[in-house]
Amino acid sequence: MSDRVSRRPPSAATLRRLERASGSLATRAVARMDDELPWFRTMPADQRSWVMLVAQAGLASFVEWCRTPDRPPRLTGEVFGAAPRELARVVPLKHTVDLVRVTVEVMDDFVGTVAEPGDADVLRLAVLQYSREVAFATAHVYATFAESRGAWDARLEALLVDALVRGERPEELSGRASALGWAAMTPVTVLVGAAPQDGDVHAAIRRAARQVRSEVLVGVHADQLVVVLGGSPDLQSAAERVSDEFGPGPVVTGPVVDGLGRAGDSASAALAGLRAAPAWPGAPRPVAADALLPERALDGDPSARTTLQERIAQPLQAAGGEVLETVRAVLASGGNLEASARALFVHPNTVRYRLRRATEMTGLPVTDPRGAWTVQVALALAALDQERSLWH
């Protein structure tokens, strides 16, 4: 720019005095940061030392810039290169602007002390021009960091979602997730379904998750869209909103687990549910993986078969013959309580009482078509397992 060429540099004597005072000025700048910036006082010692290095490098670069007015300042390397890249990660841009402001104010305050007679205005103008260059360099550093961090985060996110699908060890998942800022124990659920054919699905999912104040991880695995939701007080509502961004077909939600370390369990159940979902054409969207337990069991999912056994078949068997006998009678009659009562030679109210007990034990009403189907599959699989045990 023209002011770089036309400006008169401070005299050599002023620059020598400024160079000798640079260490003291950097110390004064850090001391003022400590006085004026409450967040700076809480920084760890190593990060404060990085700030001191940047301040010293900035003053040295300023002196060199004044000596060679025609040379554009290389602030990104000369100044910000004095600190590790982690500084941009731990110190937000807003705080860095405060640090630069305080340093420039200290330099401006001491212009009269270090400037030779007749150099004060020239040196003050040089400080003003240099601070502008520092502002541009700061923006460049943070923009570059944000771009590279965004690319790295996207890669790490893809690896994390892929690891969930493949069922990697929980400690590896938690470590990768912490690098993306996820809380260790936030409740988590996994959604799976078809990926949309067009549009930026990652941006659409993130936008939907922000609307419901949920953390999110997104990955496309083959033609399947895998979404991890966490940090929301109402994950069910969050899942319903995010499911709108999936492609056509069923969307299945895995069970809510207590952290990303167990998200693989949720993903496994959701993927098993997605494979079995075509067997229930009328399923809601999204549909819980646990609601698809009978279809999953028929599809060969051993965990679904075990769950049906533990939640339905075993409690009914343990309740005694009357409850189980009544459930079987109602299933055989298609839910007709009067016909079931006649077959059992009991009053219909007795049938209703026993069914209430069965519902309390299993959480499923046998008189509901979906509940009846689930109980019927559970009892049929339990009978097959019992028959096999007699032969072995």
Side-chain angles (χ1 to χ4, degrees):
M1 297 180 67
S2 59
D3 56 1
R4 289 180 184 161
V5 179
S6 61
R7 63 180 173 84
R8 178 176 73 83
S11 65
T14 293
L15 293 179
R16 283 195 297 272
R17 295 181 64 179
L18 180 61
E19 193 170 28
R20 286 194 298 269
S22 60
S24 174
L25 287 175
T27 301
R28 290 175 182 270
V30 172
R32 183 175 293 188
M33 294 171 194
D34 198 65
D35 291 338
E36 297 183 4
L37 306 175
W39 57 265
F40 183 76
R41 292 193 293 271
T42 64
M43 290 180 68
D46 59 338
Q47 295 175 16
R48 289 164 62 94
S49 68
W50 296 344
V51 173
M52 172 68 85
L53 288 174
V54 172
Q56 291 174 337
L59 289 165
S61 178
F62 173 64
V63 172
E64 186 61 28
W65 180 67
C66 288
R67 283 178 175 151
T68 54
D70 295 332
R71 180 182 73 88
R74 296 187 292 271
L75 299 182
T76 302
E78 292 178 352
V79 178
F80 294 101
R85 285 179 55 83
E86 285 81 1
L87 186 63
R89 184 191 302 273
V90 298
V91 181
L93 176 59
K94 178 180 182 298
H95 289 174
T96 301
V97 170
D98 289 338
L99 298 177
V100 172
R101 174 184 57 78
V102 170
T103 304
V104 170
E105 288 175 354
V106 169
M107 292 173 65
D108 190 65
D109 290 346
F110 281 83
V111 163
T113 303
V114 299
E116 291 288 328
D119 264 0
D121 290 341
V122 174
L123 184 59
R124 186 167 282 109
L125 178 61
V127 169
L128 178 62
Q129 293 172 328
Y130 186 75
S131 66
R132 182 189 62 188
E133 300 292 345
V134 169
F136 284 124
T138 302
H140 175 75
V141 166
Y142 274 84
T144 302
F145 175 79
E147 184 176 349
S148 61
R149 176 60 191 268
W152 169 249
D153 282 357
R155 177 61 178 161
L156 183 59
E157 181 180 36
L159 290 172
L160 178 57
V161 172
D162 185 64
L164 283 173
V165 173
R166 289 187 286 106
E168 284 194 9
R169 291 180 298 176
E171 57 270 19
E172 295 181 1
L173 299 176
S174 298
R176 292 177 183 177
S178 64
L180 292 171
W182 270 68
M185 295 304 293
T186 179
V188 167
T189 188
V190 178
L191 285 74
V192 295
Q197 296 299 313
D198 50 16
D200 187 346
V201 62
H202 287 76
I205 293 292
R206 294 187 202 290
R207 187 163 52 247
R210 281 197 301 269
Q211 292 174 359
V212 290
R213 295 180 174 85
S214 176
E215 298 180 81
V216 66
L217 296 172
V218 187
V220 177
H221 190 77
D223 59 347
Q224 293 175 347
L225 177 60
V226 182
V227 175
V228 185
L229 293 177
S232 171
D234 188 354
L235 282 177
Q236 182 176 351
S237 296
E240 290 174 357
R241 170 63 187 90
V242 171
S243 66
D244 293 339
E245 307 302 331
F246 281 70
V251 177
V252 181
T253 61
V256 175
V257 294
D258 58 10
L260 267 171
R262 294 191 55 210
D265 297 337
S266 182
S268 177
L271 289 167
L274 186 64
R275 290 190 295 269
W280 185 10
R285 175 183 156 123
V287 58
D290 279 1
L292 287 160
L293 282 173
E295 287 79 11
R296 289 166 52 192
L298 294 175
D299 191 45
D301 179 7
S303 66
R305 191 170 184 140
T306 300
T307 302
L308 287 174
Q309 179 87 309
E310 294 174 349
R311 293 184 186 175
I312 299 173
Q314 289 178 359
L316 289 176
Q317 290 165 351
E322 290 181 348
V323 173
L324 181 56
E325 183 185 27
T326 301
V327 168
R328 290 189 185 279
V330 172
L331 290 174
S333 69
N336 188 317
L337 301 189
E338 286 73 16
S340 302
R342 288 193 299 272
L344 295 170
F345 302 103
V346 297
H347 193 277
N349 285 342
T350 302
V351 173
R352 293 186 179 92
Y353 168 73
R354 293 174 181 175
L355 290 183
R356 279 199 299 271
R357 286 188 60 196
T359 300
E360 290 170 359
M361 287 183 286
T362 64
L364 294 170
V366 181
T367 52
D368 172 78
R370 185 67 194 173
W373 160 247
T374 304
V375 171
Q376 192 164 16
V377 170
L379 292 177
L381 292 175
L384 291 173
D385 289 342
Q386 186 175 12
E387 185 68 21
R388 288 193 188 97
S389 65
L390 295 176
W391 285 93
H392 291 285

